[in-house]
């Protein structure tokens, strides 16, 4: 009887130590704080927090993490398009021979490299006719769909991508 009590106490102590270590390791990085960052439009912080949470999460929680990470990246791309509005117009197809094109392209690509290296993302500049765009090459989306093939959240991400595609097709509607 006494051995069982000691064993239970040791197991409880070990569980407490593990929980404390996880809390210390993640600090303020919880899925709730990452979602709060996403809702507050702080997409880069949300992505970084979600990246840190992936190795520590269970299957169901990580589905939510992968989903929000893909959404945050799409939203970050849209935010960057607003921030670089003038540069995206200057870095459009047909303007390749102008000095503004190279300067705008270098500025955008420099910022995208910093963001991609800090977050593990895959944002890139896509040259279009009237105004170029910033989009993800699909890394976070592909990781999500590969791991959660039957997820109902895939439709939501597909819808966001369809809206982005429609926005870039100069008046033509996608099939």
């Amino acid at each position: 009887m006494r051995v069982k009590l000691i064993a239970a106490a040791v197991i409880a102590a070990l569980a407490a130590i593990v929980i404390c270590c996880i809390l210390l390791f993640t600090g303020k990085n919880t899925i709730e704080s990452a979602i709060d960052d996403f809702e507050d439009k702080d997409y880069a912080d949300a992505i970084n927090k979600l990246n840190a949470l992936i190795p520590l999460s269970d299957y169901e929680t990580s589905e939510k993490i992968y989903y929000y990470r893909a959404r945050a990246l799409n939203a970050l791309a849209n935010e960057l398009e607003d921030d670089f509005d003038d540069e995206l117009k200057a870095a459009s197809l047909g303007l390749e021979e102008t000095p503004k094109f190279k300067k705008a392209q270098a500025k955008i690509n420099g910022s995208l490299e910093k963001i991609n290296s800090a977050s593990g993302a895959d944002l890139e500049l896509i040259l279009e006719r009237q105004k170029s765009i910033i989009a993800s090459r699909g890394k976070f989306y592909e990781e999500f769909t590969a791991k959660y093939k039957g997820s109902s959240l895939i439709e939501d991400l597909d819808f966001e991508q369809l809206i982005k595609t429609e926005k870039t097709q100069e008046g033509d509607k996608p099939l």
Side-chain angles (χ1 to χ4, degrees), residues 96-125:
E96 295 92 349
E97 303 303 320
T98 64
K100 285 184 177 181
F101 176 86
K102 290 180 181 172
K103 184 177 178 183
Q105 190 177 28
K107 182 176 181 181
I108 295 168
N109 284 331
S111 293
L112 295 180
E113 284 177 27
K114 288 177 188 174
I115 292 168
N116 289 340
S117 67
S119 65
D122 62 350
L123 294 173
E124 73 175 338
L125 172 65

Side-chain angles (χ1 to χ4, degrees), residues 1-101:
M1 181 74 167
R2 193 169 201 201
V3 173
K4 287 183 181 180
L5 283 173
I6 293 172
V10 169
I11 290 172
L14 288 173
I17 291 170
V18 169
I19 290 171
C20 287
C21 287
I22 289 172
L23 291 174
L24 285 173
F25 179 70
T26 60
K28 294 182 179 181
N29 290 350
T30 63
I31 191 159
E32 290 81 15
S33 69
I35 292 171
D36 287 344
D37 285 344
F38 173 80
E39 290 172 351
D40 292 340
K41 299 182 180 184
D42 191 355
Y43 305 118
D45 279 351
I47 291 169
N48 291 331
K49 285 180 181 179
L50 293 167
N51 284 340
L53 291 170
I54 287 173
L56 304 172
S57 62
D58 60 28
Y59 185 80
E60 290 178 14
T61 304
S62 70
E63 177 182 19
K64 199 175 196 181
I65 291 170
Y66 278 94
Y67 167 74
Y68 272 102
R69 194 172 69 143
R71 284 200 61 203
L73 186 61
N74 289 337
L76 179 59
N78 290 336
E79 184 178 86
L80 290 170
E81 283 184 356
D82 292 340
D83 293 346
F84 289 112
D85 188 56
D86 293 335
E87 290 85 356
L88 289 168
K89 288 175 184 170
S92 300
L93 291 175
L95 301 175
E96 295 92 349
E97 303 303 320
T98 64
K100 285 184 177 181
F101 176 86

Side-chain angles (χ1 to χ4, degrees), residues 87-159:
E87 290 85 356
L88 289 168
K89 288 175 184 170
S92 300
L93 291 175
L95 301 175
E96 295 92 349
E97 303 303 320
T98 64
K100 285 184 177 181
F101 176 86
K102 290 180 181 172
K103 184 177 178 183
Q105 190 177 28
K107 182 176 181 181
I108 295 168
N109 284 331
S111 293
L112 295 180
E113 284 177 27
K114 288 177 188 174
I115 292 168
N116 289 340
S117 67
S119 65
D122 62 350
L123 294 173
E124 73 175 338
L125 172 65
I126 300 173
L127 301 177
E128 296 285 333
R129 289 178 200 247
Q130 293 178 353
K131 180 181 171 186
S132 295
I133 62 170
I134 296 172
S136 168
R137 287 177 276 184
K139 178 182 175 185
F140 290 173
Y141 173 81
E142 288 172 6
E143 288 176 4
F144 175 70
T145 56
K147 192 167 183 176
Y148 302 98
K149 291 182 190 310
S151 176
S152 61
L153 300 173
I154 292 173
E155 275 184 33
D156 192 36
L157 294 175
D158 288 343
F159 184 70

